[in-house]
Amino acid sequence: MGHRIGDASAPARLAGTDEGIGLDELALAARNHGLPLEALRHDRTPPGLHYVLTHYDIPYVPDDTSWRLTVGGLVRRPLDLDLADLRAHPQVTTRVTLECAGNGRALLTPRPVSQPWLLEAVGTADWTGVPLRLLLAAAGVEPGAVDVVFTGADHGVERGVEQDYRRALPLEVAAGDDPDVLVAYAMNGAALPPQHGHPLRLVVPGWYGMAQVKWLRDITVTDREFTGFQQSVAYRLRQHPDDEGEPVTRIAPRALLVPPGFPDFMSRTRVVRPGPVALEGRAWSGRAPVTRAEVSTDGGLSWQEAEWDSGTGHRWAWRRWRLTWTATPGRHVLSARATDAEGHTQPLEQPWNRGGFANNLVQRVPVLCTDTVADPP
């Protein structure tokens, strides 16, 4: 009996009732990582703390590699660019919050079996690169163009399909200037680290992480909608396996709380002292600017509006909020939620989908307030 590439991968599935995290999910969790929530205090996330999700292997790209980016398809003047060619174009730096489309997946019931994110799949950085619209203008997009397809150098198999990682954007998004989509070569003022796409990646402000193609090597303009695996099979909002589903695109509003006090090692329950406790966190949305952050200290029964820090001028990055809570002895559940200018807000009960995508369920942080103090070790 022959062996097929599909024998290397299993179909998508939901975890069974009371099924714990499996070794396959644990292996994914070990190679990908989230932002420790205490690092929300950084305006810009240090690269080593920024979340990472890599579908396949991280390509090995030595510094002396002659990396090239091609721009072709439905264009008048195909481009073949090296890194020096790209740097000769005008550069833009934009602060952008990136969030994985599956953030919060492991909290759903039933749980989609995949990368078991809790709430930490997020990060914010200053990305520097060339606006994509300038490259498309230099190539001369032909009439009738519909999609722009991006191909990374990461290669693997997923649900039986061997593939390079590919995603597409509608032409009006790819060629737009509000915001500029970037072909980025720097993160926080330094060259991209390997796990963040060295030497080139796409940065699409406001969109979930699946759109931010890393190790970018080819851009192709097409006269039809792209139907590759990551576009038409993965990253769809489905209730049933045979649903066509809606595409995952822009980031839903979310607020996250910096866990206050100090943690228990295993449970991560936070411990605080009685009295005033400074609460802070971040809020963001890829749909419209966030306009409100609220905090609950009683498990969502009541809410108080938080105060924003002074404006940062970074439309596509998270905003810092603050609130002072007077803690009393006992157990509490703290939560935060965001609302954007279009009225989108976070739910207390999360609508479910098979992929666990675009999940912005309100965060719950268990806190123990005690007036007893352990002797120092």
Side-chain angles (χ1 to χ4, degrees):
M1 182 177 179
H3 298 286
R4 300 173 300 169
I5 193 71
D7 297 336
S9 62
R13 72 181 185 89
L14 302 177
T17 304
D18 298 327
E19 178 184 349
I21 298 291
L23 290 179
D24 51 354
E25 293 174 287
L26 181 60
L28 286 176
R31 63 172 287 109
N32 299 301
H33 70 82
L35 172 82
L37 292 186
E38 61 270 25
L40 287 165
R41 294 185 175 95
H42 295 273
D43 290 334
R44 299 187 313 173
T45 308
L49 295 177
H50 195 290
Y51 98 92
V52 170
L53 187 287
T54 303
H55 278 249
Y56 311 126
D57 286 351
I58 296 173
Y60 176 56
V61 185
D63 289 339
D64 59 357
T65 298
S66 180
W67 191 269
R68 306 199 73 83
L69 175 68
T70 54
V71 182
L74 199 63
V75 299
R76 291 186 290 274
R77 298 174 295 276
L79 307 179
D80 186 352
L81 309 170
D82 62 18
L83 297 181
D85 295 329
L86 282 170
R87 289 178 179 272
H89 285 78
Q91 73 175 31
V92 169
T93 297
T94 307
R95 185 166 297 179
V96 178
T97 294
L98 300 184
E99 182 178 7
C100 184
N103 200 15
R105 173 188 290 125
L107 301 173
L108 296 180
T109 302
R111 187 184 78 254
V113 175
S114 185
Q115 167 67 29
W117 292 123
L118 296 173
L119 294 172
E120 299 88 354
V122 67
T124 295
D126 286 346
W127 304 96
T128 301
V130 179
L132 176 61
R133 60 182 170 83
L134 299 184
L135 301 181
L136 294 175
V141 175
E142 295 276 17
V146 173
D147 270 2
V148 183
V149 182
F150 307 92
T151 303
D154 43 335
H155 184 88
V157 58
E158 199 164 345
R159 300 188 217 169
V161 179
E162 184 178 359
Q163 59 191 284
D164 294 330
Y165 188 86
R166 286 190 176 98
R167 283 281 306 184
L169 292 171
L171 177 64
E172 60 269 22
V173 175
D177 62 359
D178 186 23
D180 273 321
V181 175
L182 296 183
V183 175
Y185 44 73
M187 178 184 189
N188 290 351
L192 294 174
Q195 72 274 27
H196 290 293
H198 172 75
L200 290 177
R201 69 171 296 163
L202 202 67
V203 174
V204 188
W207 285 57
Y208 280 111
M210 78 283 150
Q212 329 283 332
V213 178
K214 293 178 283 191
W215 312 289
L216 182 65
R217 60 180 180 83
D218 180 75
I219 299 171
T220 300
V221 181
T222 66
D223 61 358
R224 64 197 67 185
E225 289 188 3
F226 177 62
T227 58
F229 178 89
Q230 302 295 342
Q231 200 88 9
S232 60
V233 179
Y235 295 106
R236 310 285 292 193
L237 301 175
R238 294 185 176 92
Q239 295 298 309
H240 306 285
D242 55 354
D243 287 350
E244 179 182 352
E246 295 293 325
V248 178
T249 56
R250 293 189 175 274
I251 299 172
R254 189 191 292 278
L256 287 179
L257 177 79
V258 175
F262 53 92
D264 171 69
F265 173 67
M266 284 299 297
S267 71
R268 308 312 293 176
T269 296
R270 309 301 296 193
V271 179
V272 299
R273 311 292 189 221
V277 176
L279 302 180
E280 63 175 311
R282 303 281 179 168
W284 63 93
S285 173
R287 300 179 180 178
V290 285
T291 54
R292 175 182 291 183
E294 297 170 282
V295 177
S296 173
T297 58
D298 55 13
L301 297 177
S302 63
W303 296 88
Q304 294 177 266
E305 189 163 352
E307 294 184 357
W308 296 111
D309 269 11
S310 58
T312 63
H314 299 291
R315 159 65 185 93
W316 302 103
W318 56 27
R319 296 181 64 186
R320 185 197 298 268
W321 53 263
R322 301 178 187 272
L323 181 78
T324 299
W325 168 49
T326 302
T328 57
R331 295 188 179 273
H332 307 269
V333 175
L334 308 187
S335 296
R337 68 182 179 190
T339 301
D340 69 22
E342 294 180 352
H344 304 117
T345 193
Q346 294 181 251
L348 293 174
E349 297 184 7
Q350 177 62 45
W352 182 88
N353 64 85
R354 287 185 60 86
F357 297 129
N359 168 13
N360 64 337
L361 183 68
V362 165
Q363 177 190 21
R364 294 174 62 86
V365 181
V367 173
L368 174 64
C369 177
T370 177
D371 52 10
T372 61
V373 180
D375 293 332

